[in-house]
Amino acid sequence: MISAKDVAELAGVSRSAVSRTYTPGASVSAATREKVMRAAAELGYHVNHLARGLVRNRSGIVCLIVSELATPYRASLVRLLTQHLQEAGKIAMLINTDRSDDSVSQALQQAINFRADASFVLSGMPDSAIARLCHKHGQRLVLINRDDVLPGSLSINLDNEEAAGRVVMAFVRAGCKRIAFANSLAGTPSLMARERGFIQAAEAAGLQVSVERFGTTSYESGQILAHRLLTRSTRPDAVFCVTDLLACGFMDEARHRFALRIPQDLCVAGYDDIPQAAWSSYNLTTFTQPVMQYAQDSVSWLVAEETKEEHMPPALGQEMPGETRLYHADFVWRGTIRGA
């Protein structure tokens, strides 16, 4: 591998002159810069950013800890995060996990081993002990769709309960009397908040809710949940599905197996506003998660925290407080609720 020393010898300059040439804002004469760049081009030299980052105690690596990558919502969020991280000069390292908290903690241990600057946790919840270990090693955490606050972390979440209450009101205005909630068994804070908010709003409106849970937040789970709910002696006339992907499976099963018309016989709402929700075959009423805002704010927060630390390093042993940001989900009216 061609080194900076090789470039310095060919250019007839010092090793430090080569370093200054490749350091933004560093002082180096135009003549020296030209010599260095000519020698570098002749030798095929490239700066080792990883080695340079380790000298500065910053690798530039940001780990994305994710499960269920195949789902449209998760894929969209990962795409936007990697785009904004790259624009900020960071390298995204993807660690594919299951939904368990243990797998997330193991992934964070990997991030520490690679000396990552930060980890963005999109799935599961790390143990507070491993979170503190990350903080001790100078690694920041961004927790997306989590309601926990950990030291030195940014926690991003939606007002899921408020959104679920708006679905109940939409069902009531459509004249629905027998409402249901279709959930997975993932049990994440955001999914359970939707269920909790939906039940509370329904009870306040004098309605009982039939709740059914099964599997992952997948299309296939939606099909099974439809079969379970629609074969009950009292069939629901409105269903709030915890995600759009699950709602798509539910709607297809309701139409093709049970010959139900949507929204005439059955009103349906979803959550996430994935691309498929706008397809004419679904035309699904749903909520939009501000994924672009998640990505922008997460990366901006990380860059701001690093800049702040450069100017004012924390005192030894000081535990930095965590920060929480609550976002609003917009209701997207389409054709699966009567009157929408």
Side-chain angles (χ1 to χ4, degrees):
M1 182 178 290
I2 304 300
S3 68
K5 180 182 177 183
D6 299 323
V7 175
E9 290 176 352
L10 181 60
V13 299
S14 66
R15 169 66 179 78
S16 63
V18 176
S19 178
R20 292 197 305 276
T21 298
Y22 286 96
T23 301
S27 176
V28 59
S29 69
T32 298
R33 183 183 299 277
E34 184 180 350
K35 289 180 184 178
V36 170
M37 298 305 289
R38 190 185 307 119
E42 183 177 336
L43 294 172
Y45 170 73
H46 294 277
V47 177
N48 187 335
H49 288 289
L50 181 58
R52 172 173 286 192
L54 293 177
V55 170
R56 297 172 57 236
N57 200 30
R58 188 169 292 161
S59 66
I61 295 172
V62 175
C63 290
L64 302 181
I65 300 172
V66 193
S67 70
E68 298 180 339
L69 273 165
T71 60
Y73 163 72
R74 198 60 55 80
S76 174
L77 182 53
V78 169
R79 177 180 61 82
L80 290 169
L81 284 171
T82 53
Q83 174 187 324
H84 284 277
L85 286 168
Q86 286 165 197
E87 290 172 356
K90 298 291 186 181
I91 303 298
M93 183 171 78
L94 184 65
I95 301 180
N96 193 0
T97 69
D98 60 29
R99 295 188 310 275
S100 69
D101 294 347
D102 286 344
S103 70
V104 173
S105 295
Q106 291 170 15
L108 283 173
Q109 186 65 61
Q110 285 183 273
I112 292 172
N113 294 342
F114 280 98
R115 299 185 68 173
D117 294 342
S119 286
F120 288 15
V121 181
L122 281 65
S123 310
M125 183 64 203
D127 182 85
S128 59
I130 190 72
R132 284 182 167 79
L133 185 61
C134 290
H135 179 71
K136 180 180 179 182
H137 283 266
Q139 182 183 164
R140 290 177 173 80
L141 295 178
V142 176
L143 311 172
I144 298 180
N145 281 333
R146 323 303 305 174
D147 53 8
D148 307 76
V149 183
L150 298 174
S153 72
L154 171 65
S155 182
I156 284 176
N157 206 355
L158 281 168
D159 193 345
N160 288 286
E161 295 187 17
E162 184 271 343
R166 291 160 69 192
V167 178
V168 171
M169 293 301 101
F171 286 162
V172 169
R173 286 195 296 270
C176 302
K177 304 294 184 182
R178 305 177 306 279
I179 64 176
F181 188 85
N183 202 349
S184 72
L185 291 174
T188 64
S190 57
L191 301 186
M192 296 312 296
R194 287 168 210 170
E195 178 179 315
R196 187 167 57 249
F198 188 73
I199 293 172
Q200 289 173 351
E203 290 177 347
L207 298 172
Q208 294 296 313
V209 179
S210 297
V211 177
E212 193 69 54
R213 306 185 191 99
F214 178 82
T216 61
T217 52
S218 65
Y219 177 91
E220 293 76 14
S221 292
Q223 291 178 297
I224 292 171
L225 286 164
H227 192 270
R228 289 185 176 183
L229 283 167
L230 299 177
T231 54
R232 292 185 176 186
S233 57
T234 302
R235 176 183 287 175
D237 59 5
V239 179
F240 181 25
C241 296
V242 77
T243 68
D244 286 350
L245 191 58
L246 193 146
C248 290
F250 195 103
M251 290 172 63
D252 282 345
E253 192 75 0
R255 285 167 169 161
H256 302 305
R257 186 174 293 272
F258 294 91
L260 295 177
R261 299 169 302 162
I262 297 173
Q264 295 89 340
D265 303 323
L266 177 70
C267 291
V268 180
Y271 204 105
D272 288 339
D273 197 24
I274 62 176
Q276 291 84 345
W279 291 359
S280 57
S281 57
Y282 296 112
N283 196 28
L284 177 64
T285 297
T286 184
F287 287 88
T288 296
Q289 292 211 44
V291 288
M292 178 65 80
Q293 201 66 46
Y294 289 172
Q296 291 175 343
D297 291 357
S298 298
V299 176
S300 295
W301 175 85
L302 175 60
V303 172
E305 288 295 303
E306 290 179 345
T307 303
K308 188 191 307 179
E309 185 178 283
E310 287 177 357
H311 291 89
M312 188 179 295
L316 185 64
Q318 180 183 357
E319 191 172 82
M320 302 302 291
E323 180 181 342
T324 300
R325 296 185 187 178
L326 189 66
Y327 293 78
H328 175 77
D330 290 328
F331 209 178
V332 182
W333 287 97
R334 295 197 178 102
T336 55
I337 298 179
R338 292 187 295 274

